[in-house]
Amino acid sequence: MSKAIRKRVAVLISGRGSNLRALLEAKQAGYEVALAISNRPGAGGLEIARAAGVETLVIDHKIYGEDREAFERAMDAALRERDIGIVALAGFMRVLTPYFVRSWQGRLINIHPSLLPKYPGIDTHARALAAGDSMHGCTVHLVTEEVDSGEILGQARLAILPGDTPAILAARLLELEHALYPPCLARLAFSLR
Ligand code: GRF
């Protein structure tokens, strides 16, 4: 893979896209966000990408019904046509099949709102509160076939405070996510050969 290609990043989103914005705005970036793909037509993050002059695509999983691989083949084709080197998941709410994960192995990265291996899956803030944890955090990791369990590339942590609710905790953690994701992505882009 050429140096130019391995720096070309596609960000996959499903919703508001605040992590996409953080990846776009990061100053030290050793990567280029060249494409944003949403599986949901109304995702707020699409507008963020457009405003930054980044190409956007909607690949609506609903069109493919139960055929997850067909949906992923459409994404894979779009990524390869554009010489994408790294795929960064940022609030992308579809579990990827082994087909897609294997084809992008080592070049597929995600941010998850917990201190993995704690709390893979959803409702991480509520689960940390219900468990009485004193600390919470977020993790950037490589994506493997098992959900939220690939190699950890970076973590940021914060204290859980009295009075925290899942929403309050999520909002505070989001700031940390935005600081953590860009340098982790830059390191991955730098390390790929
Ligand atoms: C973030 O909390 C991220 O960790 C999780 O989904 C949320 C996406 O938020 N995977 P946004 O769309 O980046 O604002």
Side-chain angles (χ1 to χ4, degrees), residues 112-116 118-119 122-129 132-139 155-161 164-166 168-174 176-177:
H112 182 76
S114 80
L115 291 171
L116 291 172
K118 275 190 156 185
Y119 314 129
I122 59 169
D123 294 333
T124 56
H125 316 296
R127 286 154 74 198
L129 286 170
D133 291 355
S134 57
M135 301 296 291
H136 189 41
C138 52
T139 303
Q155 287 186 314
R157 56 192 70 228
L158 49 62
I160 293 181
L161 303 176
D164 271 349
T165 63
I168 291 171
L169 191 53
R172 212 159 66 246
L173 183 61
L174 201 57
L176 269 63
E177 295 186 34

Side-chain angles (χ1 to χ4, degrees), residues 21 24 45-54 56:
R21 185 195 298 280
L24 284 165
L46 288 167
E47 200 40 56
I48 294 173
R50 282 186 204 115
V54 169
T56 59

Side-chain angles (χ1 to χ4, degrees), residues 16-80:
R16 75 191 151 181
S18 71
N19 278 288
L20 164 65
R21 185 195 298 280
L23 292 173
L24 284 165
E25 290 179 351
K27 293 287 178 276
Q28 95 300 18
Y31 57 84
E32 174 205 353
V33 177
L35 176 66
I37 299 180
S38 174
N39 66 308
R40 291 197 184 131
L46 288 167
E47 200 40 56
I48 294 173
R50 282 186 204 115
V54 169
E55 184 189 3
T56 59
L57 283 177
V58 173
I59 301 180
D60 187 346
H61 65 274
K62 287 192 186 134
I63 289 169
Y64 301 91
E66 296 301 304
D67 193 346
R68 283 181 181 265
E69 270 199 33
F71 162 66
E72 294 175 356
R73 276 197 301 277
M75 285 204 299
D76 188 71
L79 296 166
R80 291 181 196 282

